[in-house]
Amino acid sequence: MQESLDAIGEALDENGKVVVTGCLGVKHDLIKSTHPKVLAITGPHDTPAVMNAVHQHLPKPHDPYTDLIGVKLTPPHYAYLKISEGCNHRCTFCIIPSMRGDLVSRPIAEVMQEAENLVKAGVKELLVISQDTSAYGVDVKYRIGFVRGRPTKTRMTELCRSLGELGAWVRLHYVYPYPHVDEVIPLMAEGRILPYLDVPFQHASPRILRLMKRPASAEKVLERIRGWRAVCPEITIRSTFIVGFPGETEAEFSQLLAFLEEAQLDRVGCFAYSPVEGAAANALPDAVPQAIKEERRARFMALQERISAAKLKAKIGRTLKVLVDEPGVGRSSADAPEIDGVVKFRGGKAGELRDVLIERADAHDLFGRLQ
Ligand code: SF4
């Protein structure tokens, strides 16, 4: 919570015009009292309220293109595609289900229509998001909808197959390693969707995962990862982890480091556990002192940097397809916007798909030449 309030303060200092939206928006009074200058505060998933606030403070330009398809808050060549809202899990560190409720999947026909409209409007990359992408359709018992006249189940595999026919990059986020995730890996190997899987593992110690009430257990995760790589050697696996969860011992943290070493994940985010107001984990005993949490985070990230640097170095000499975000900067299949590294080069225009010969790498980014 404090981190979010600090981020609002930083944004106010930098730009002076700030609209707060998302989960934190439900803490209206706290935000208003801490930062009276914010222009508006909206709850999660309330695009109309955000846009109203934006239009109140900035004149609304007439643009027949955005007026027709709704406002996209991302650059025009990529777009987030939200396939469901809410979550059936109850991870003890998370308050999303208490704010957004249980999983509600959008009908597959509606999702596909939106995706098609976006691609027709020039979007080159669709980023599939939700709270739990692999659970898509569970709430509607995988109901059949019609996609271009074809009966299609409201289910992740079928969605990926349909999205893969649109000719845009398709990138999957927030996929839990349920068994049926294995079904989408061949689609990645065949080049229908990007060979990229964002799987939030959060920890590797079975005891900590139980305390977290995570939907998937640590058992067999390494085996699954090996299986995915055997089917699709190009796959980029991204994950996030929490260190310093209440009760985490040094031995359990070491277990996490050993997992990381073994799993050789491509991209990793790591958070030092911080209690969220209203989360069940706050009641757990044996909070880890802040200094130890930070120290563990630093050790974790040092190991990941080493893994990442080696993985990126192995790409030197290869030619990668890159989607240009702005002149000089783009992303390959291994890089999601905002959270992963980038590929840097001279030239290019936003929205172009170009080949880049990789000449150099550091721990996070690649550097090369447009072909
Ligand atoms: S962290 Fe757990 S409870 Fe929260 S949205 Fe993700 S799966 Fe659901």
Side-chain angles (χ1 to χ4, degrees):
M1 170 64 79
Q2 189 54 46
E3 274 168 31
S4 308
L5 289 172
D6 292 348
I8 296 169
E10 273 169 36
L12 277 167
D13 289 345
E14 238 174 61
N15 155 310
K17 289 192 169 64
V18 173
V19 175
V20 178
T21 185
C23 305
L24 196 65
V26 296
K27 306 273 179 207
H28 186 281
D29 294 346
L30 177 64
I31 297 166
K32 256 301 185 213
S33 59
T34 318
H35 298 296
K37 283 195 186 145
V38 297
L39 299 178
I41 300 167
T42 80
H45 205 50
D46 194 357
T47 313
V50 176
M51 295 323 297
N52 275 343
V54 171
H55 294 147
Q56 255 175 38
H57 297 278
L58 292 175
K60 185 183 177 198
H62 174 70
D63 179 336
Y65 164 68
T66 50
D67 285 357
L68 268 180
I69 64 166
V71 175
K72 295 191 288 102
L73 301 171
T74 45
H77 57 276
Y78 66 83
Y80 292 93
L81 186 65
K82 185 137 196 176
I83 59 169
S84 60
E85 186 59 80
C87 179
N88 288 345
H89 302 295
R90 295 294 180 264
C91 303
T92 52
F93 55 81
C94 176
I95 55 169
I96 286 177
S98 69
M99 291 189 303
R100 303 191 186 182
D102 284 339
L103 177 79
V104 178
S105 300
R106 293 177 62 198
I108 192 154
E110 188 185 303
V111 172
M112 284 305 301
Q113 189 60 59
E114 181 180 339
E116 271 189 61
N117 291 349
L118 288 164
V119 174
K120 272 190 209 140
V123 163
K124 301 275 176 32
E125 176 178 8
L126 296 164
L127 299 120
V128 176
I129 54 164
S130 67
Q131 259 85 51
D132 179 359
T133 295
S134 20
Y136 179 57
V138 166
D139 55 314
V140 293
K141 303 201 168 53
Y142 306 121
R143 188 166 51 213
I144 288 183
F146 285 86
V147 174
R148 271 170 272 137
R150 226 173 34 208
T152 309
K153 276 188 184 169
T154 304
R155 194 168 168 273
M156 185 174 77
T157 310
E158 282 75 1
L159 175 71
C160 290
R161 208 170 282 136
S162 301
L163 288 172
E165 291 169 358
L166 298 181
W169 278 9
V170 175
R171 191 183 295 281
L172 301 183
H173 286 285
Y174 315 123
V175 178
Y176 289 95
Y178 303 136
H180 69 272
V181 171
D182 295 0
E183 296 172 14
V184 299
I185 311 297
L187 299 178
M188 297 181 180
E190 290 161 18
R192 292 166 192 261
I193 62 173
L194 288 182
Y196 181 99
L197 208 52
D198 175 8
V199 201
F201 292 122
Q202 306 298 16
H203 213 284
S205 144
R207 192 187 76 93
I208 296 292
L209 285 168
R210 270 197 308 277
L211 285 177
M212 289 177 165
K213 289 217 177 122
R214 291 296 290 167
S217 74
E219 289 135 44
K220 305 221 178 112
V221 162
L222 286 168
E223 216 175 285
R224 299 286 300 288
I225 292 174
R226 270 194 286 274
W228 296 339
R229 287 188 172 136
V231 175
C232 180
E234 271 296 295
I235 194 169
T236 294
I237 304 176
R238 148 168 264 278
S239 191
T240 47
F241 293 88
I242 296 174
V243 296
F245 190 77
E248 181 189 66
T249 62
E250 179 60 30
E252 284 160 341
F253 174 67
S254 299
Q255 202 173 356
L256 175 58
L257 291 185
F259 168 83
L260 195 58
E261 186 79 74
E262 184 73 38
Q264 294 282 306
L265 302 178
D266 302 81
R267 304 284 191 190
V268 164
C270 176
F271 302 93
Y273 173 76
S274 96
V276 178
E277 213 181 302
N282 300 348
L284 291 173
D286 305 320
V288 177
Q290 193 60 31
I292 295 184
K293 284 192 230 172
E294 292 302 337
E295 186 239 11
R296 287 182 185 167
R297 199 184 96 84
R299 282 161 66 197
F300 182 99
M301 288 317 287
L303 171 56
Q304 181 56 29
E305 266 195 17
R306 185 162 58 68
I307 294 170
S308 174
K311 291 209 156 230
L312 294 181
K313 198 168 159 211
K315 296 187 181 184
I316 295 174
R318 288 182 55 192
T319 298
L320 300 181
K321 189 66 81 192
V322 162
L323 179 57
V324 180
D325 280 332
E326 58 182 87
V329 184
R331 292 173 294 104
S332 70
S333 69
D335 319 308
E338 314 281 338
I339 50 176
D340 293 330
V342 294
V343 183
K344 294 186 182 169
F345 41 81
R346 266 179 217 279
K349 265 198 346 235
E352 279 180 342
L353 273 170
R354 299 287 298 266
D355 287 329
V356 176
L357 172 65
I358 303 303
E359 297 173 320
R360 197 161 64 77
D362 64 19
H364 304 289
D365 300 323
L366 294 170
F367 304 82
R369 219 171 343 121
L370 282 184
Q371 298 298 289

